[in-house]
Amino acid sequence: MTLPSLSALTPVPLEAFLTVAALLFCIGVWGLINSRNAVRVLMSIELMLNAVNINLMAFSSHLDGQEIRGQVYAIFVITVAAAEAAVGLAILLSLYRNRETVDMERFNLLRW
Amino acid sequence: MPPLADLTELIVFVLLAAGVVVGSLGVVLLPNVVYSAFLLGGVFLSVAGLYLLLNASFIAAAQVLIYVGAVNVLILFAIMLVNKREPMADAPGLGLRRLLSSGVCAGLLWLLLRVAYTTPWATPGPTPLGEDAVVRLGEHFFTDYLLPFELASVLLLMAMIGAIVLARRDVFASDIGTGEAADQGLIEKARSPLLIEKTRP
C-alpha cells in the first residue's frame, strides 16, 4: 500500500473526517465502559455524540452540498444532547444525595 | 482554489484532528476529573473548527454556544456539587473488563475504518453552499422538517421540567419537627442517605 501524495490529500478528503470521527467514537465507547466516575461517563457520551455529528457534517458537505440534510440532523442531535446532559446530571445529583458516592461500581441496587 | 489555500486547509485539519484525538484521550484517561472537563471544552472547540472546515458556520456557532457554553459549564457545576474525593475500591474483574473492552473498541475501530476506506463514496458531490447554508437550513426547518423542529422544542421543555424535578431538594419553610424556620441556603444539609448498605464499614 502506497501513501497518497500530498497533492492528492488536498482538499481534505471525506475519509479523513470519517477517520477522526471513528477514533473519537471508539475513545468514547472505551471511556463509557471503563470509567468509575459517573461524571466521566456522561462526558464519554458527549464525545460519542460529537463523533456522530462529525460524520453527519462530513457527509453533508462532501456528498449533499446543496440539500444540507446532514446539518439539519446535526442540529437535532445537538438538541437531544443538551436535553440528555441536563437530565443526566440531575439524575447524577439525585443519586449522589441518596448513595453519597459517584462510583459506578456502587450503583448496584438493581443488580442481581 | 489556489494550492496555498488547499495546503492551509490541510494543515488546519491536521491540527484540529490532533486536538480532538489527544483531547478526548485526556478526557478519558486523566485521573483528575476537573482536568477532564476542561479538556472536554477543548475537544468541543476543535470539533467546531472541523465544522468550519466543512462549510457549516452556523452549526459551528451553535456548537460553541451549546456545548462549550452550556453543556461543559453544566458538567463543571456537577463536578463542583459532587466533588467528594473518595478512594475507589478495587472491584473484581476490572482488569479483565479493561482488556475485553479494549479489544471490542479496537475491533469497532477496525470495522469503521474498513467501511470508510472500502466504500466507493460518490465524491465529489454537488458544490457546497457556503454562506447560503443558513438560508437553506431555515427553509428546511420551516417546510419539510417542521414537525421534528416543533417536537424538539417540546423535548427541551420536558427535559427542563424533568431536570428541575429530579434535582431539587424538598424545601420546607419551617422545620416539621421543631417548628422553627428552616434555613434555605444553598449548602447541602447533612441528612441520612437512603439505600446505603448498613453492613458496609
Side-chain angles (χ1 to χ4, degrees):
Chain A
M1 177 183 163
T2 59
L3 285 173
S5 67
L6 191 63
S7 60
L9 281 176
T10 57
V12 185
L14 175 63
E15 286 85 357
F17 286 100
L18 297 187
T19 306
V20 174
L23 276 170
L24 190 56
F25 190 82
C26 290
I27 292 170
V29 171
W30 196 89
L32 183 70
I33 299 173
N34 284 307
S35 296
R36 299 288 297 274
N37 194 327
V39 182
R40 206 190 294 269
V41 171
L42 287 173
M43 290 197 254
S44 301
I45 294 175
E46 300 296 332
L47 287 183
M48 290 162 66
L49 286 165
N50 267 283
V52 172
N53 267 346
I54 293 177
N55 259 5
L56 286 173
M57 307 290 288
F59 286 127
S60 168
S61 177
H62 280 87
L63 303 177
D64 194 25
Q66 290 296 312
E67 300 282 327
I68 39 173
R69 282 164 289 206
Q71 295 194 22
V72 179
Y73 275 86
I75 292 265
F76 289 133
V77 171
I78 288 176
T79 312
V80 174
E84 176 263 335
V87 175
L89 289 172
I91 291 174
L92 175 66
L93 271 185
S94 183
L95 265 177
Y96 179 72
R97 282 199 201 114
N98 284 325
R99 313 270 332 218
E100 285 198 337
T101 181
V102 285
D103 188 356
M104 292 299 284
E105 293 300 317
R106 290 178 60 195
F107 297 150
N108 52 6
L109 192 66
L110 285 182
R111 223 153 120 180
W112 60 86
Chain B
M1 200 185 285
L4 185 62
D6 276 350
L7 190 61
T8 313
E9 192 181 337
L10 185 66
I11 290 171
V12 169
F13 171 78
V14 168
L15 287 179
L16 288 174
V20 167
V21 173
V22 174
S24 57
L25 278 176
V27 167
V28 171
L29 294 177
L30 279 184
N32 193 336
V33 76
V34 179
Y35 295 158
S36 292
F38 280 110
L39 270 180
L40 189 69
V43 172
F44 288 157
L45 281 176
S46 303
V47 172
L50 287 180
Y51 292 168
L52 281 181
L53 280 184
L54 288 167
N55 305 301
S57 46
F58 177 72
I59 315 276
Q63 167 93 4
V64 172
L65 281 177
I66 296 172
Y67 272 112
V68 184
V71 172
N72 204 15
V73 172
L74 202 61
I75 285 175
L76 278 171
F77 267 105
I79 291 172
M80 280 191 273
L81 285 174
V82 295
N83 63 349
K84 188 168 126 188
R85 289 191 182 273
E86 52 182 335
M88 300 272 184
D90 279 338
L94 214 58
L96 179 66
R97 186 204 302 181
R98 190 156 293 187
L99 204 67
L100 276 178
S101 61
S102 301
V104 168
C105 288
L108 182 64
L109 180 67
W110 178 78
L111 182 73
L112 288 173
L113 290 183
R114 189 169 163 77
V115 168
Y117 283 96
T118 55
T119 309
W121 305 113
T123 49
T127 322
L129 276 174
E131 288 305 311
D132 289 335
V134 186
V135 179
R136 186 59 55 84
L137 265 183
E139 286 171 11
H140 275 309
F141 277 136
F142 285 96
T143 53
D144 46 351
Y145 289 95
L146 182 62
L147 182 63
F149 185 62
E150 300 294 339
L151 278 180
S153 57
V154 176
L155 173 76
L156 282 177
L157 179 69
M158 283 162 52
M160 186 174 72
I161 296 173
I164 293 171
V165 168
L166 280 171
R168 72 165 182 183
R169 288 166 298 155
D170 294 323
V171 175
F172 299 106
S174 60
D175 198 307
I176 295 177
T178 60
E180 61 197 24
D183 81 275
Q184 302 199 359
L186 281 172
I187 302 165
E188 291 274 336
K189 279 175 286 191
R191 47 174 286 189
S192 59
L194 310 168
L195 309 175
I196 288 184
E197 301 93 329
K198 296 292 186 285
T199 58
R200 188 177 288 275

